[in-house]
Amino acid sequence: MPRADAARNRSLLIDAASAELSEHGLDVSISRIAARAGVAKGTVFNHFSSKEELVSAIFCEQLGALAATGETLLEHTDPRSALQQFMTAGAELQVNDRSFCEAVTATSRAHPAVRAASDRLAQAAEALTASARQAGVVRADVTGHDIVLLLGAATWIAAPLAAARSDLWRRYLHLILDGLRPEAAHELPVAAPTNEDFATAATR
Amino acid sequence: MPRADAARNRSLLIDAASAELSEHGLDVSISRIAARAGVAKGTVFNHFSSKEELVSAIFCEQLGALAATGETLLEHTDPRSALQQFMTAGAELQVNDRSFCEAVTATSRAHPAVRAASDRLAQAAEALTASARQAGVVRADVTGHDIVLLLGAATWIAAPLAAARSDLWRRYLHLILDGLRPEAAHELPVAAPTNEDFATAATR
DNA sequence: CACCAACATGACCAGCCGGTCAATTTATGT
DNA sequence: ACATAAATTGACCGGCTGGTCATGTTGGTG
């Protein structure tokens, strides 16, 4: 059982890191995070053996939250709007969080805990996609992996103008969703990514 | 008139910087670039007053090349495939060049020369889009600015798996193109970005 | 050839980073 | 109240970065 102050500091650190990462992206300094949490820099390394470890912990939280959203939507919402709300949630997460953008993309997929969280997200996405496909509200050649990769696209596209037009990402999310409709479908030139693709990409 | 060796070194530097930027992205060190060009670090700053200046010079080259491609396509190709080839060229540029990805997005739009190059690219994109719209091969509510912003999306989406599946970006480019078709069109919730949006985003 | 300005050079600077650790403070069980 | 393990602290380290500058070299010119 950890000491009381240690537990409190750990939670303060996670909050601070989450906030700083969301505001300044992946390259915030440990010092900033420590300062925001109101602790010394050394304390950070008492709780997380390296910066990567700290960042991974937060990524896992966020990936898990989004996966949970997806799982809930799958049960309680019709397939069409479930998928739409899932993608909206994913995009929204990134609007408020610059680092999450890099998290889905991330190299840190090498980290085992992050991999696990990514896998859970991938399963949720696949379930939602399968349901939508079966209902005929999404084109037949799109997979859960596609959806995961597309999650951050709208936010990324609108990022250069985010300061001037904070809701612009919605435009591009809808554009992408229109591309996912069955009536828009034209044969795609390249096959969807597979589990192996993700696996080999992680080990590089 | 510059001295002969100065001109040669300048060109060597631009080649080296271009190569290093494409391989390692925006955060390559000046030392690396200098080493690759076979000159001392100080020489870099003889030719470019800061790193930003060097990077901007290369961005301008690339933006200019893509704009030129667009202008040629406008004259010599039918509207549908002109737009498609334009976007393919834009995506391809980023597959081979990690930094260009960040260039279109770039904060360095603040730099006047980069702004000029971006504007030329925007005009080419708008001309191509107008032509395609008029021919009815693209939905009515899409603009040149949309196209510019969408240029890098496919590459970005496929980036996490680029090592395992180097041609995956084509899948997502086609998916986006399908979303641009008139038959896919559903009302978009947010208006297209305007010139002012780009202007205010640049001054931030 | 000689001469000078243009240019190349690399040691050097301040500042930042992630990470370490001996010394110190503090929470907790008795 | 005390003892002790647990946790905090901040000075410190090596390494890297963009950028500077006195010194040395070289190309062009008359």
Side-chain angles (χ1 to χ4, degrees):
Chain A
M1 191 172 67
R3 244 169 62 172
D5 57 344
R8 201 203 52 190
N9 278 346
R10 188 186 179 88
S11 134
L12 281 172
L13 267 175
I14 287 183
D15 290 352
S18 181
E20 286 293 327
L21 281 171
S22 86
E23 289 172 20
H24 306 290
L26 258 180
D27 47 5
V28 277
S29 67
I30 295 285
S31 319
R32 272 191 79 104
I33 294 173
R36 179 152 186 163
V39 302
K41 187 165 58 165
T43 301
V44 178
F45 293 96
N46 281 345
H47 292 275
F48 305 93
S49 60
S50 70
K51 184 181 184 178
E52 198 194 339
E53 212 70 28
L54 170 57
V55 169
S56 296
I58 283 155
F59 284 176
C60 288
E61 254 193 17
Q62 294 172 328
L63 291 171
L66 185 56
T69 300
E71 288 156 7
T72 305
L73 283 168
L74 182 64
E75 290 185 5
H76 299 320
T77 318
D78 72 283
R80 136 160 270 132
S81 62
L83 190 62
Q84 177 164 346
Q85 286 180 49
F86 178 66
M87 293 189 70
T88 304
E92 228 154 14
L93 194 49
Q94 306 192 32
V95 173
N96 304 321
D97 193 330
R98 294 189 45 166
S99 73
F100 185 75
C101 209
E102 319 169 48
V104 184
T105 304
T107 37
S108 54
R109 195 178 279 273
H111 196 284
V114 175
R115 285 250 12 211
S118 298
D119 287 350
R120 184 181 160 206
L121 181 63
Q123 280 186 21
E126 181 53 49
L128 283 165
T129 309
S131 153
R133 214 166 28 209
Q134 207 164 350
V137 297
V138 87
R139 54 196 291 174
D141 53 1
V142 76
T143 74
H145 285 317
D146 288 329
I147 299 299
V148 170
L149 291 174
L150 287 168
L151 267 182
T155 307
W156 182 86
I157 292 164
L161 299 184
R165 295 282 307 276
S166 63
D167 58 349
L168 190 60
W169 61 272
R170 294 186 189 275
R171 178 177 179 85
Y172 299 107
L173 179 58
H174 271 253
L175 230 139
I176 290 170
L177 285 167
D178 280 351
L180 294 177
R181 292 174 186 272
E183 65 264 32
H186 290 68
E187 199 187 355
L188 296 172
V190 182
T194 66
N195 284 326
E196 286 88 35
D197 291 335
F198 280 92
T200 65
T203 55
R204 295 259 175 151
Chain B
M1 192 170 70
R3 245 168 58 174
D5 58 343
R8 201 204 53 191
N9 278 346
R10 187 186 180 89
S11 135
L12 281 172
L13 267 175
I14 289 184
D15 290 351
S18 182
E20 286 292 328
L21 280 170
S22 86
E23 288 172 20
H24 307 290
L26 258 180
D27 47 5
V28 277
S29 67
I30 295 286
S31 319
R32 272 191 79 104
I33 294 173
R36 178 150 187 166
V39 302
K41 186 164 60 164
T43 302
V44 179
F45 293 97
N46 281 345
H47 291 274
F48 305 92
S49 60
S50 70
K51 183 180 184 178
E52 199 194 340
E53 211 70 27
L54 170 58
V55 170
S56 296
I58 283 154
F59 284 176
C60 287
E61 252 192 17
Q62 294 171 327
L63 291 171
L66 185 56
T69 300
E71 289 156 7
T72 304
L73 284 168
L74 182 63
E75 290 183 7
H76 300 318
T77 318
D78 72 284
R80 136 161 272 131
S81 62
L83 189 63
Q84 178 165 344
Q85 285 180 48
F86 177 66
M87 294 188 70
T88 304
E92 229 154 14
L93 194 49
Q94 305 191 33
V95 173
N96 303 320
D97 192 330
R98 294 189 47 166
S99 75
F100 185 75
C101 209
E102 319 170 46
V104 184
T105 304
T107 38
S108 54
R109 196 179 276 273
H111 196 285
V114 176
R115 284 254 6 217
S118 298
D119 287 350
R120 184 180 161 206
L121 181 64
Q123 281 186 21
E126 180 53 50
L128 284 164
T129 310
S131 154
R133 213 165 30 207
Q134 209 166 350
V137 298
V138 87
R139 54 196 290 173
D141 54 0
V142 76
T143 74
H145 285 318
D146 287 329
I147 300 300
V148 171
L149 290 175
L150 287 169
L151 267 182
T155 308
W156 182 86
I157 293 164
L161 299 185
R165 293 283 306 277
S166 62
D167 58 350
L168 190 59
W169 62 272
R170 295 185 188 276
R171 178 177 179 86
Y172 298 108
L173 180 58
H174 271 254
L175 230 140
I176 289 170
L177 286 167
D178 280 351
L180 294 178
R181 293 175 185 272
E183 66 264 31
H186 290 67
E187 199 185 357
L188 296 172
V190 182
T194 66
N195 286 325
E196 286 87 36
D197 291 334
F198 279 92
T200 65
T203 57
R204 295 264 174 144

